[in-house]
Amino acid sequence: MVKQLDTDGTGWERGAVVFDSERRKVGEYQDESGPYAVLRPLGGGREWEAEFGQLRAATADERLSAELRAANERSERRP
């Protein structure tokens, strides 16, 4: 997967799936907040901020793992 930049080239496209190497987590790019990227887990949840320099496109394996984790969490929440 290639880096998905927004139209002015300043950051990631909203919805891009990225890997935060500092936290070792996969997230979906939401927006910018000053010098930080705002990410959220693929299945939803609490957003976090990450430095742009710590982000890269998530690999297929990383994305699949994050999607599986989200599906498992959803199934555990069902009554």
Side-chain angles (χ1 to χ4, degrees):
M1 177 185 262
V2 296
K3 185 174 179 179
Q4 298 171 311
L5 294 174
D6 62 17
T7 55
D8 64 6
T10 60
W12 295 86
E13 268 185 19
R14 185 178 188 95
V17 179
V18 299
F19 182 78
D20 176 356
S21 60
E22 183 177 342
R23 289 183 178 79
R24 302 188 54 75
K25 290 171 59 174
V26 173
E28 184 177 298
Y29 177 78
Q30 298 297 301
D31 204 353
E32 288 181 38
S33 178
Y36 300 102
V38 179
L39 308 175
R40 76 170 178 88
L42 294 188
R46 177 172 270 177
E47 294 179 341
W48 76 94
E49 293 181 346
E51 294 181 17
F52 280 99
Q54 299 296 321
L55 301 180
R56 62 168 171 77
T59 66
D61 287 345
E62 291 165 341
R63 183 181 185 135
L64 180 61
S65 179
E67 290 170 345
L68 180 60
R69 185 177 306 110
N72 286 339
E73 288 173 0
R74 278 192 306 273
S75 70
E76 291 171 359
R77 285 185 250 158
R78 290 190 172 187

